[in-house]
Amino acid sequence: MRFRPSVLYALAALLALGIGAGVARYVYAPDTSTPRVPESLWTMRLPDPLGAPHTLSQWRGKVLVLNFWATWCAPCREEIPDFIAVRARYHDRNVEILGIAIDAAAPVKTYAAEMNIAYPVLIGEGPAHELARALGNTTGALPYTVVIDPTGKIIHRHLGRLPRAKLEAILASNAT
């Protein structure tokens, strides 16, 4: 049985397409292999917009929503009002939202005041990129949100704008 060259080219193209799609899925998929946060998360010290240092361990034992964002990131700015509302609703249920800005202190301080952000905001700049990567953000894109249960287990990761309803559903089933 002889195949025409066009059939062979079509088969080769399909094979290449399948391999390319598989490689892309592997390379760009969020890393879900780390069920627990690295211990280095809890010892990390980052300043707030006024320069006071904070160790992330002060939020250990809570359902912690870590949101990596920047003032120059439009989707980040769009989701902040949702985080403010969700924090008001769940803060009394052992939940804390923590904004980690991959940005300079001055614009974060100004933006946090303008938006009246009621949850803690820390300035991460370069170290926050490494932390986000350690928590599964292999692309380095923003916004990136990780939800951690009180035992330190990662229960949700989300790259891009996190819909309020989705976050509330996660918290409703994990908050005390």
Side-chain angles (χ1 to χ4, degrees):
M1 174 179 227
R2 253 184 100 181
F3 287 104
R4 293 185 190 158
S6 59
V7 172
L8 291 176
Y9 292 137
L11 289 174
L14 284 173
L15 180 63
L17 180 63
I19 291 171
V23 168
R25 184 173 180 199
Y26 174 77
V27 169
Y28 295 110
D31 179 9
T32 58
S33 64
T34 310
R36 300 189 70 75
V37 297
E39 196 59 34
S40 61
L41 169 88
W42 304 117
T43 59
M44 183 172 236
R45 292 176 60 91
L46 297 172
D48 64 24
L50 299 176
H54 295 270
T55 303
L56 274 62
S57 64
Q58 73 189 71
W59 295 286
R60 194 174 205 164
K62 294 182 175 286
V63 175
L64 185 59
V65 179
L66 289 180
N67 176 246
F68 295 88
W69 68 286
T71 59
W72 45 262
C73 166
C76 301
R77 293 169 68 109
E78 291 170 6
E79 71 184 355
I80 285 176
D82 290 342
F83 285 125
I84 293 168
V86 169
R87 199 250 187 183
R89 181 172 179 192
Y90 286 91
H91 188 254
D92 292 339
R93 294 179 60 190
N94 200 37
V95 172
E96 186 58 89
I97 294 177
L98 178 59
I100 300 181
I102 300 178
D103 210 334
V108 172
K109 181 180 176 182
T110 301
Y111 186 73
E114 286 173 9
M115 293 300 296
N116 198 25
I117 297 177
Y119 55 85
V121 173
L122 302 179
I123 309 301
E125 295 184 290
H129 277 291
E130 292 308 313
L131 177 58
R133 195 170 309 284
L135 294 172
N137 185 359
T138 57
T139 64
L142 295 176
Y144 182 67
T145 304
V146 179
V147 182
I148 303 165
D149 79 3
T151 69
K153 181 181 173 193
I154 296 172
I155 54 178
H156 187 77
R157 301 171 211 235
H158 188 88
L159 181 60
R161 188 177 189 282
L162 180 58
R164 179 177 173 175
K166 186 172 188 176
L167 178 57
E168 287 186 337
I170 293 163
L171 296 179
S173 62
N174 289 284
T176 56

